[in-house]
Amino acid sequence: MQNFNFYNPTHIVFGKDRLGELDNLVPKNAKVLILFGGGSIKKFGTLDKVTKALKDRIIIEFGGIEPNPRFETLMKAVDIVKEKNIDFLLAVGGGSVIDGTKFINLAANYEGNDTADLLLNYSASKTVVKSIPIGTVLTLPATGSEMNSGAVISYNHGKFVVGSPLSFPTFSILDPTLTFTLPPSQVANGIVDTFIHVTEQYVTYPADGRFQDRTAEGILKTLIEISEQTINNPEDYDARANLVWSATMGLNGLIGSGVPQDWSTHMIGHELTAMFGIDHGKTLAILQPAIWKIRKEQKREKLLQYANRVWNITEGDDDYIIDSAINKTREFFEGLGIKTYLSDYGITADKIENVITALKKHGMTALSETRNLTPDICREILEIAL
Ligand code: NZQ
Ligand code: ZN
């Protein structure tokens, strides 16, 4: 096992009807900025419940954070934070709202000349030393952003990862009933996103991280077990609760500690979202099977372990076992209603070179757990994903 630090200060408040506890979680004298997306929390009554729970605290609202949150939108909230001396940020929404809020906090406390440097230069966030506490109320299980320190922000035709220990939420309320209103396609996106957060940290090369591997396998098997149930019966509390907790645990640092991590599916996927507007989870479902086919040799041992332990495939030679596991994975995504080829989204071969150019522009030239996945290999991956 590799050396590691594991640090995660987020207080999780999990379960039904716990929004009232905001009164204990948010300081009594706080001036709170509530951040949200395009309006689902208004439509389904969550915003009313949140403001009621905050009682007589000073509250300002900032809505309109779009999926794949944009730098320009978030900078409007930064102005409000500064003008109104906000001292508590409460994100109510999915990954985009939570990521946006993390960025707003860093941007409001950044002392450099150009705030976009926080996105363009990964070390810029390390210069931020002050922070406004962030709380979250999660409405979409997928990203794990509610219990990690990362954020993904759209800027100038790209998606950029930013992170700092100051970005961990101080608390996150995970009430599975708040996710019952999600359309099936967003639930499916969340299942795939969680699945691939786990495989990015698990289908690499062996490092004898037995706890990490078995926990990863446990999350994957849970997702396979509950996916149909939670899509077809959105109000089945226990199925949804298992999805919510799996999503949080899939990307909170636990299973990735002490083991190699890949993240090439995500980095190539970010370009597909930025260029073609495909939802984050769907880009991953397109890329994962193609990456595994092309990287079969580098990932051979872990792909075999994945086939055996997650899909119980044990008969046949090694190549057959691995191919069957890749097919099972694709069938799993397709069974959730998620298409797994670029052509399903109207993307044709002539667009591939644009993706390669964008990857190079964004410095994504040495991807994967072995840092040898080059743009030329990305091109092969995209060609077989057509
Ligand atoms: O904007 P509203 O009106 O709220 O609607 C949202 C949005 O349209 C809707 N929604 C959310 N909760 C709902 C609901 N609709 C009905 N009922 C509810 N309870 O769902 C739509 C999508 O929301 P979004 O937040 O964009 O989805 P998700 O949680 O999948 O987040 C995706 C973003 O997270 C980033 C992605 O790149 C993408 O920008 N990621 C962040 C990560 C992190 N911070 O660690 C890791 C991930 O890999 C990912 O990259
Ligand atoms: Zn993801």
Side-chain angles (χ1 to χ4, degrees), residues 230-247:
T230 197
I231 289 179
N232 295 337
N233 304 300
E235 301 203 7
D236 176 333
Y237 178 82
D238 286 317
R240 187 56 59 88
N242 278 291
L243 172 57
V244 171
W245 193 223
S246 295

PDB file of all heavy atoms in Angstrom, residues 230-247:
ATOM      1  N   THR A 230     -34.180   1.915  -7.679  1.00  0.00           N
ATOM      2  CA  THR A 230     -34.245   3.339  -7.333  1.00  0.00           C
ATOM      3  C   THR A 230     -34.641   4.200  -8.533  1.00  0.00           C
ATOM      4  O   THR A 230     -35.190   5.288  -8.361  1.00  0.00           O
ATOM      5  CB  THR A 230     -32.941   3.820  -6.657  1.00  0.00           C
ATOM      6  OG1 THR A 230     -33.210   5.061  -6.008  1.00  0.00           O
ATOM      7  CG2 THR A 230     -31.804   4.003  -7.627  1.00  0.00           C
ATOM      8  N   ILE A 231     -34.443   3.695  -9.745  1.00  0.00           N
ATOM      9  CA  ILE A 231     -34.921   4.442 -10.918  1.00  0.00           C
ATOM     10  C   ILE A 231     -36.429   4.216 -11.087  1.00  0.00           C
ATOM     11  O   ILE A 231     -37.194   5.162 -11.303  1.00  0.00           O
ATOM     12  CB  ILE A 231     -34.149   4.029 -12.192  1.00  0.00           C
ATOM     13  CG1 ILE A 231     -32.717   4.578 -12.110  1.00  0.00           C
ATOM     14  CG2 ILE A 231     -34.837   4.572 -13.455  1.00  0.00           C
ATOM     15  CD1 ILE A 231     -31.838   4.232 -13.285  1.00  0.00           C
ATOM     16  N   ASN A 232     -36.861   2.967 -10.939  1.00  0.00           N
ATOM     17  CA  ASN A 232     -38.285   2.664 -11.180  1.00  0.00           C
ATOM     18  C   ASN A 232     -39.185   3.074 -10.019  1.00  0.00           C
ATOM     19  O   ASN A 232     -40.362   3.358 -10.215  1.00  0.00           O
ATOM     20  CB  ASN A 232     -38.481   1.172 -11.470  1.00  0.00           C
ATOM     21  CG  ASN A 232     -37.784   0.788 -12.761  1.00  0.00           C
ATOM     22  OD1 ASN A 232     -37.549   1.662 -13.605  1.00  0.00           O
ATOM     23  ND2 ASN A 232     -37.432  -0.468 -12.911  1.00  0.00           N
ATOM     24  N   ASN A 233     -38.664   3.048  -8.801  1.00  0.00           N
ATOM     25  CA  ASN A 233     -39.463   3.437  -7.619  1.00  0.00           C
ATOM     26  C   ASN A 233     -38.718   4.528  -6.867  1.00  0.00           C
ATOM     27  O   ASN A 233     -38.117   4.276  -5.819  1.00  0.00           O
ATOM     28  CB  ASN A 233     -39.655   2.235  -6.670  1.00  0.00           C
ATOM     29  CG  ASN A 233     -40.280   1.071  -7.383  1.00  0.00           C
ATOM     30  OD1 ASN A 233     -41.374   1.182  -7.902  1.00  0.00           O
ATOM     31  ND2 ASN A 233     -39.558  -0.031  -7.440  1.00  0.00           N
ATOM     32  N   PRO A 234     -38.775   5.751  -7.387  1.00  0.00           N
ATOM     33  CA  PRO A 234     -37.936   6.815  -6.798  1.00  0.00           C
ATOM     34  C   PRO A 234     -38.219   7.045  -5.320  1.00  0.00           C
ATOM     35  O   PRO A 234     -37.348   7.512  -4.607  1.00  0.00           O
ATOM     36  CB  PRO A 234     -38.288   8.047  -7.626  1.00  0.00           C
ATOM     37  CG  PRO A 234     -39.476   7.701  -8.443  1.00  0.00           C
ATOM     38  CD  PRO A 234     -39.535   6.218  -8.555  1.00  0.00           C
ATOM     39  N   GLU A 235     -39.409   6.688  -4.850  1.00  0.00           N
ATOM     40  CA  GLU A 235     -39.725   6.957  -3.445  1.00  0.00           C
ATOM     41  C   GLU A 235     -39.452   5.762  -2.536  1.00  0.00           C
ATOM     42  O   GLU A 235     -39.857   5.756  -1.371  1.00  0.00           O
ATOM     43  CB  GLU A 235     -41.167   7.459  -3.323  1.00  0.00           C
ATOM     44  CG  GLU A 235     -41.342   8.719  -4.156  1.00  0.00           C
ATOM     45  CD  GLU A 235     -42.485   9.617  -3.740  1.00  0.00           C
ATOM     46  OE1 GLU A 235     -43.106   9.340  -2.690  1.00  0.00           O
ATOM     47  OE2 GLU A 235     -42.752  10.595  -4.461  1.00  0.00           O
ATOM     48  N   ASP A 236     -38.798   4.741  -3.065  1.00  0.00           N
ATOM     49  CA  ASP A 236     -38.351   3.627  -2.221  1.00  0.00           C
ATOM     50  C   ASP A 236     -37.172   4.164  -1.401  1.00  0.00           C
ATOM     51  O   ASP A 236     -36.042   4.298  -1.893  1.00  0.00           O
ATOM     52  CB  ASP A 236     -37.929   2.465  -3.135  1.00  0.00           C
ATOM     53  CG  ASP A 236     -37.352   1.292  -2.359  1.00  0.00           C
ATOM     54  OD1 ASP A 236     -36.796   1.499  -1.261  1.00  0.00           O
ATOM     55  OD2 ASP A 236     -37.441   0.160  -2.879  1.00  0.00           O
ATOM     56  N   TYR A 237     -37.456   4.496  -0.142  1.00  0.00           N
ATOM     57  CA  TYR A 237     -36.478   5.228   0.682  1.00  0.00           C
ATOM     58  C   TYR A 237     -35.154   4.472   0.807  1.00  0.00           C
ATOM     59  O   TYR A 237     -34.076   5.049   0.640  1.00  0.00           O
ATOM     60  CB  TYR A 237     -37.055   5.521   2.081  1.00  0.00           C
ATOM     61  CG  TYR A 237     -36.046   6.234   2.950  1.00  0.00           C
ATOM     62  CD1 TYR A 237     -35.863   7.611   2.843  1.00  0.00           C
ATOM     63  CD2 TYR A 237     -35.234   5.533   3.842  1.00  0.00           C
ATOM     64  CE1 TYR A 237     -34.912   8.284   3.603  1.00  0.00           C
ATOM     65  CE2 TYR A 237     -34.285   6.186   4.616  1.00  0.00           C
ATOM     66  CZ  TYR A 237     -34.124   7.554   4.489  1.00  0.00           C
ATOM     67  OH  TYR A 237     -33.170   8.211   5.228  1.00  0.00           O
ATOM     68  N   ASP A 238     -35.232   3.181   1.112  1.00  0.00           N
ATOM     69  CA  ASP A 238     -33.976   2.478   1.403  1.00  0.00           C
ATOM     70  C   ASP A 238     -33.084   2.330   0.174  1.00  0.00           C
ATOM     71  O   ASP A 238     -31.862   2.460   0.266  1.00  0.00           O
ATOM     72  CB  ASP A 238     -34.266   1.127   2.055  1.00  0.00           C
ATOM     73  CG  ASP A 238     -34.701   1.326   3.506  1.00  0.00           C
ATOM     74  OD1 ASP A 238     -34.078   2.153   4.199  1.00  0.00           O
ATOM     75  OD2 ASP A 238     -35.681   0.686   3.933  1.00  0.00           O
ATOM     76  N   ALA A 239     -33.729   2.078  -0.964  1.00  0.00           N
ATOM     77  CA  ALA A 239     -32.917   1.985  -2.194  1.00  0.00           C
ATOM     78  C   ALA A 239     -32.227   3.323  -2.435  1.00  0.00           C
ATOM     79  O   ALA A 239     -31.022   3.386  -2.700  1.00  0.00           O
ATOM     80  CB  ALA A 239     -33.798   1.613  -3.376  1.00  0.00           C
ATOM     81  N   ARG A 240     -32.971   4.424  -2.311  1.00  0.00           N
ATOM     82  CA  ARG A 240     -32.392   5.742  -2.579  1.00  0.00           C
ATOM     83  C   ARG A 240     -31.329   6.103  -1.535  1.00  0.00           C
ATOM     84  O   ARG A 240     -30.302   6.701  -1.852  1.00  0.00           O
ATOM     85  CB  ARG A 240     -33.498   6.796  -2.644  1.00  0.00           C
ATOM     86  CG  ARG A 240     -33.040   8.180  -3.078  1.00  0.00           C
ATOM     87  CD  ARG A 240     -32.325   8.197  -4.430  1.00  0.00           C
ATOM     88  NE  ARG A 240     -33.112   7.697  -5.537  1.00  0.00           N
ATOM     89  CZ  ARG A 240     -33.935   8.422  -6.289  1.00  0.00           C
ATOM     90  NH1 ARG A 240     -34.110   9.704  -6.040  1.00  0.00           N
ATOM     91  NH2 ARG A 240     -34.576   7.870  -7.305  1.00  0.00           N
ATOM     92  N   ALA A 241     -31.594   5.717  -0.279  1.00  0.00           N
ATOM     93  CA  ALA A 241     -30.617   6.009   0.775  1.00  0.00           C
ATOM     94  C   ALA A 241     -29.292   5.307   0.475  1.00  0.00           C
ATOM     95  O   ALA A 241     -28.204   5.869   0.687  1.00  0.00           O
ATOM     96  CB  ALA A 241     -31.159   5.551   2.135  1.00  0.00           C
ATOM     97  N   ASN A 242     -29.379   4.091  -0.049  1.00  0.00           N
ATOM     98  CA  ASN A 242     -28.145   3.381  -0.405  1.00  0.00           C
ATOM     99  C   ASN A 242     -27.409   4.052  -1.557  1.00  0.00           C
ATOM    100  O   ASN A 242     -26.177   4.075  -1.585  1.00  0.00           O
ATOM    101  CB  ASN A 242     -28.451   1.912  -0.722  1.00  0.00           C
ATOM    102  CG  ASN A 242     -28.546   1.087   0.550  1.00  0.00           C
ATOM    103  OD1 ASN A 242     -27.539   0.861   1.222  1.00  0.00           O
ATOM    104  ND2 ASN A 242     -29.759   0.681   0.927  1.00  0.00           N
ATOM    105  N   LEU A 243     -28.173   4.607  -2.493  1.00  0.00           N
ATOM    106  CA  LEU A 243     -27.510   5.344  -3.583  1.00  0.00           C
ATOM    107  C   LEU A 243     -26.826   6.603  -3.033  1.00  0.00           C
ATOM    108  O   LEU A 243     -25.676   6.894  -3.369  1.00  0.00           O
ATOM    109  CB  LEU A 243     -28.531   5.719  -4.673  1.00  0.00           C
ATOM    110  CG  LEU A 243     -27.990   6.658  -5.761  1.00  0.00           C
ATOM    111  CD1 LEU A 243     -26.757   6.059  -6.463  1.00  0.00           C
ATOM    112  CD2 LEU A 243     -29.074   6.987  -6.795  1.00  0.00           C
ATOM    113  N   VAL A 244     -27.530   7.333  -2.184  1.00  0.00           N
ATOM    114  CA  VAL A 244     -26.969   8.588  -1.663  1.00  0.00           C
ATOM    115  C   VAL A 244     -25.662   8.311  -0.904  1.00  0.00           C
ATOM    116  O   VAL A 244     -24.638   8.965  -1.136  1.00  0.00           O
ATOM    117  CB  VAL A 244     -28.002   9.310  -0.752  1.00  0.00           C
ATOM    118  CG1 VAL A 244     -27.356  10.498  -0.041  1.00  0.00           C
ATOM    119  CG2 VAL A 244     -29.209   9.773  -1.575  1.00  0.00           C
ATOM    120  N   TRP A 245     -25.686   7.313  -0.053  1.00  0.00           N
ATOM    121  CA  TRP A 245     -24.482   7.053   0.759  1.00  0.00           C
ATOM    122  C   TRP A 245     -23.352   6.496  -0.109  1.00  0.00           C
ATOM    123  O   TRP A 245     -22.177   6.830   0.080  1.00  0.00           O
ATOM    124  CB  TRP A 245     -24.838   6.128   1.921  1.00  0.00           C
ATOM    125  CG  TRP A 245     -23.784   6.014   2.996  1.00  0.00           C
ATOM    126  CD1 TRP A 245     -23.389   4.869   3.609  1.00  0.00           C
ATOM    127  CD2 TRP A 245     -23.030   7.081   3.623  1.00  0.00           C
ATOM    128  NE1 TRP A 245     -22.428   5.145   4.564  1.00  0.00           N
ATOM    129  CE2 TRP A 245     -22.190   6.490   4.594  1.00  0.00           C
ATOM    130  CE3 TRP A 245     -22.976   8.453   3.454  1.00  0.00           C
ATOM    131  CZ2 TRP A 245     -21.301   7.236   5.378  1.00  0.00           C
ATOM    132  CZ3 TRP A 245     -22.087   9.199   4.237  1.00  0.00           C
ATOM    133  CH2 TRP A 245     -21.280   8.587   5.180  1.00  0.00           C
ATOM    134  N   SER A 246     -23.697   5.685  -1.101  1.00  0.00           N
ATOM    135  CA  SER A 246     -22.660   5.168  -2.017  1.00  0.00           C
ATOM    136  C   SER A 246     -21.999   6.314  -2.770  1.00  0.00           C
ATOM    137  O   SER A 246     -20.775   6.338  -2.947  1.00  0.00           O
ATOM    138  CB  SER A 246     -23.272   4.200  -3.036  1.00  0.00           C
ATOM    139  OG  SER A 246     -23.765   3.053  -2.384  1.00  0.00           O
ATOM    140  N   ALA A 247     -22.822   7.269  -3.223  1.00  0.00           N
ATOM    141  CA  ALA A 247     -22.265   8.393  -3.989  1.00  0.00           C
ATOM    142  C   ALA A 247     -21.302   9.200  -3.119  1.00  0.00           C
ATOM    143  O   ALA A 247     -20.216   9.592  -3.563  1.00  0.00           O
ATOM    144  CB  ALA A 247     -23.391   9.281  -4.515  1.00  0.00           C
TER     145      ALA A 247
END
